[in-house]
Amino acid sequence: MISGPALCLDVGSTWTKAALVGAGGELLGTAQHRTTVPEVLTGIDAVTAQLGGAGGGPGAVPVLACSSAGGGLRLAVVGQEPLVSAEAGRRVALSAGARVVHVHAGDLDGPGLRKLRAARPDVLLLVGGTDGGDARTLLHNAARLAANRVRPPIVLAGNAEAAADALALLRSTNRSVVLAGNVLPDVGELNPQPARQAIREVFLRHVIGGKGLSRGSRFRQLVRAVTPDAVLAGVSRLAALRSAAVLVVDVGGATTDVYSVAPVPVAAAHAVGEAGEQRTVEGDLGMRISAPALASEAPVPARLLTAAAPLALEAAARLRATEPGHVPAGQPDAEIDLRLATFAATIAVRRHLRLAPGRFGTSGADLLVLSGGVFRHAGPAGLTQVYATLRADPALRPVLRRAQAVTDIDYVLAAAGLLAGADRPQAADALLGRLVAGP
């Protein structure tokens, strides 16, 4: 547990952002610097220096850091039954800050192992069978993973009665394995939390040091969470603070993440179905690296462009993909960025809502939060246009028609999540109070 001021860092693939937060949750200062790969500490030291005059200097205060640099956390799932395995992976990845890059169901064979390796996961989630149920598939897959060149650390979260034997098989060939409770202890019951916690531990212990982001151990020691995990914690805290259903859209250079927290009956929270917290990652919707994919989808399926606009937008998107550090030169260029961000937000929220139709009931969301550098620099007129476009979309209108819209200008969601995780709930709540005033 920490007390007094804290320096909260969010080390992203493009930007490193910092917030110096006082003991009572007051925001003492913010700073940002381009993320400096292959040595992210250079950027961290730069934002720390920028905040050196605030609150007596950040060098004397604890540092709480999260990171999504290096592409975030890639999760592969190996399970028994296709639908259950995919849902287990999605629900576990939900708040562990991971993105599911591959799902295999059934017995692993040669082609299955090759596809698994080609997905380049950072962590592998091995599941299968209810407690006391079928153990054959779990043990078969454990044996195949033990015998083949599958190097990522493994979180084993399958049939509890077979888990000891599966663990022994994997450790017999020196695989790195963390044992967690079964994600499917009974038919129709999903228990993702133990596996989520195990994946967080694996990320901090093994993955962050293997991303080639820094030499030595200092950066690994600073990082407490993967960024989406910290953001979701902040979103959940905001929803509780406001007693509200909250929808957050975070548009980045490579992905667009959507978070939602909506009330769910207690019984439903343990079933294979809708959860109170949801997070989706759209890897083809981004402002820079994935801009061409975004531009190609926007004109037709999204119906967000006039007939004359696609060619000009596609050219601008190609430029942004080849120059990820591109900074808009003048107002017309900035308007293209804002248009791309609006497309990304619209399409991403559509996809998010398809996973859980009726998620916000008949009343819709209470609060819409936009996050990302493009929104931070858009200005009031630009943001008003973005809000209006989102609300006018037929698929989004029922959810957003009465939602209060705000922008996370100071990136407080990740900082609040970090503070809450460091046993500073009051500071987290006070910081979130900056984002939107209470009713």
Side-chain angles (χ1 to χ4, degrees):
M1 181 175 178
I2 63 172
S3 59
L7 181 64
C8 299
L9 299 174
D10 175 7
V11 184
S13 294
T14 306
W15 291 97
T16 294
K17 301 169 284 289
L20 186 63
V21 183
E26 61 274 19
L27 188 64
L28 302 177
T30 63
Q32 68 175 23
H33 189 279
R34 286 199 177 278
T35 297
T36 52
V37 177
E39 184 48 80
V40 296
L41 290 175
T42 302
I44 289 174
D45 291 340
V47 294
T48 300
Q50 289 179 51
L51 293 173
V61 302
V63 176
L64 309 175
C66 58
S67 175
S68 59
L73 179 58
R74 299 168 60 87
L75 177 70
V77 184
V78 174
Q80 185 164 324
E81 194 276 333
L83 291 178
V84 173
S85 298
E87 178 64 10
R90 185 181 74 82
R91 289 280 295 275
V92 169
L94 163 69
S95 72
R99 179 162 62 98
V100 178
V101 295
H102 182 71
V103 176
H104 176 92
D107 290 358
L108 272 170
D109 54 12
L113 285 163
R114 287 192 289 274
K115 290 179 181 178
L116 177 62
R117 284 194 291 267
R120 298 179 294 105
D122 296 314
V123 181
L124 193 155
L125 175 64
L126 177 59
V127 299
T130 57
D131 290 344
D134 177 51
R136 190 198 64 80
T137 302
L138 179 67
L139 294 174
H140 169 89
N141 289 340
R144 292 303 300 264
L145 291 170
N148 286 271
R149 300 188 308 277
V150 178
R151 297 301 179 189
I154 298 169
V155 172
L156 173 59
N159 183 339
E161 295 188 7
D165 290 338
L167 183 65
L169 286 167
L170 292 164
R171 287 186 173 168
S172 68
T173 55
N174 297 317
R175 294 293 179 268
S176 176
V177 189
V178 176
L179 184 63
N182 192 356
V183 298
L184 192 72
D186 202 353
V187 176
E189 179 182 346
L190 206 58
N191 179 37
Q193 190 57 39
R196 290 178 189 168
Q197 184 59 40
I199 288 172
R200 294 186 187 110
E201 293 173 2
V202 167
F203 171 77
L204 295 175
R205 191 186 313 164
H206 298 286
V207 176
I208 195 72
K211 290 282 190 177
L213 301 173
S214 180
R215 297 177 293 276
S217 60
R218 180 182 158 208
F219 178 59
R220 185 168 62 249
Q221 292 168 354
L222 290 176
V223 176
R224 297 187 173 216
V226 64
T227 298
D229 194 4
V231 172
L232 187 57
V235 176
S236 298
R237 194 87 202 167
L238 177 62
L241 183 66
R242 296 272 297 178
S243 298
V246 179
L247 180 68
V248 177
V249 189
D250 185 3
V251 179
T255 69
T256 295
D257 294 2
V258 181
Y259 306 81
S260 62
V261 178
V264 175
V266 173
H270 298 286
V272 179
E274 189 174 2
E277 300 174 340
Q278 293 276 4
R279 169 181 167 263
T280 50
V281 179
E282 305 302 337
D284 60 336
L285 304 177
M287 299 291 298
R288 292 296 181 263
I289 297 172
S290 51
L294 168 60
S296 67
E297 173 151 352
V300 180
R303 298 178 183 175
L304 295 169
L305 285 176
T306 64
L311 291 178
L313 189 70
E314 288 175 5
R318 288 194 299 271
L319 169 66
R320 284 156 171 76
T322 55
E323 299 179 16
H326 175 78
V327 176
Q331 187 62 26
D333 204 20
E335 289 176 356
I336 289 176
D337 257 9
L338 193 60
R339 182 181 296 178
L340 285 169
T342 305
F343 296 155
T346 303
I347 300 168
V349 175
R350 285 179 182 177
R351 294 178 184 176
H352 183 88
L353 295 175
R354 285 191 203 120
L355 290 175
R359 170 163 180 71
F360 290 99
T362 58
S363 58
D366 299 302
L367 184 64
L368 167 67
V369 183
L370 297 182
S371 182
V374 63
F375 298 129
R376 184 182 189 187
H377 299 292
L383 289 173
T384 298
Q385 183 59 48
V386 174
Y387 296 143
T389 302
L390 292 173
R391 286 196 178 102
D393 184 81
L396 276 53
R397 188 183 302 123
V399 171
L400 299 180
R401 66 181 183 277
R402 69 177 188 88
Q404 178 187 358
V406 298
T407 304
D408 187 8
I409 297 293
D410 295 318
Y411 298 108
V412 302
L413 286 171
L418 287 168
L419 288 166
D423 295 325
R424 296 281 301 277
Q426 292 180 334
D429 290 351
L431 189 61
L432 290 167
R434 292 181 53 88
L435 182 60
V436 55

